[in-house]
Amino acid sequence: MKKLLFLILCTTTLGLVSCKKDTIINETPNRTFIYTIQPNSWTLSADGFTYTTILDINEIDGVTMDDEGILIYLTDPGNSNVQRQIPFVYNRDAYSFEFKQGEIKINIQSPDEQDRTPIAPTKALTAKVIIIPSNFQP
């Protein structure tokens, strides 16, 4: 009886050990783009309340508009060793962005009822744009 029990235990153990489960995940990776924004690329609006710069990015297409997400990080205007995620406020000015197919527009505005002209950056800033894919589930 002991031999039969030992044989069944060995067979079961061998069967369980020989099973292997492979998990294959096909994920679309995020796409990252780096831009340098020069101080002279900021334009002041006609009313004097908004500085704007435009980043041309052909990767923003219909799929991005419908299904994907975008994150933007900008080097801190006061400390180039720090990155801030847009939107943020620096020196009383609000940094924000909007996008459409083919471009991203970064804005600097005064957050306090538009009563003053915002301060444009005086040195080059680095913008990191991350396009995040998504699995659309209707």
Side-chain angles (χ1 to χ4, degrees):
M1 182 70 179
K2 288 183 181 180
K3 289 182 182 181
L4 182 61
L5 186 59
F6 183 71
L7 183 61
I8 292 172
L9 183 64
C10 287
T11 306
T12 305
T13 305
L14 183 62
L16 292 175
V17 172
S18 65
C19 292
K20 182 179 175 186
K21 181 179 179 182
D22 289 332
T23 304
I24 299 172
I25 300 173
N26 291 327
E27 290 187 26
T28 306
N30 299 335
R31 294 167 288 169
T32 303
F33 306 91
I34 305 293
Y35 294 89
T36 301
I37 304 171
Q38 298 299 332
N40 62 356
S41 67
W42 296 96
T43 26
L44 187 61
S45 62
D47 61 9
F49 294 134
T50 305
Y51 274 104
T52 302
T53 190
I54 295 176
L55 306 177
D56 293 322
I57 179 164
N58 294 328
E59 285 77 6
I60 299 177
D61 54 14
V63 174
T64 303
M65 296 297 296
D66 293 340
D67 300 332
E68 299 178 329
I70 294 180
L71 299 175
I72 300 178
Y73 295 86
L74 211 58
T75 52
D76 187 297
N79 183 354
S80 60
N81 294 323
V82 175
Q83 292 185 359
R84 293 178 176 245
Q85 184 177 0
I86 296 177
F88 67 88
V89 175
Y90 174 78
N91 202 17
R92 289 184 47 206
D93 290 331
Y95 286 68
S96 62
F97 76 95
E98 56 191 80
F99 63 92
K100 63 181 185 179
Q101 279 190 280
E103 74 176 35
I104 294 174
K105 186 186 296 185
I106 300 176
N107 299 311
I108 305 172
Q109 299 170 313
S110 173
D112 52 356
E113 301 301 318
Q114 303 292 337
D115 67 348
R116 67 173 181 83
T117 301
I119 300 168
T122 57
K123 60 183 176 180
L125 301 178
T126 301
K128 179 171 42 175
V129 177
I130 304 169
I131 299 177
I132 303 170
S134 177
N135 293 326
F136 177 70
Q137 302 293 323

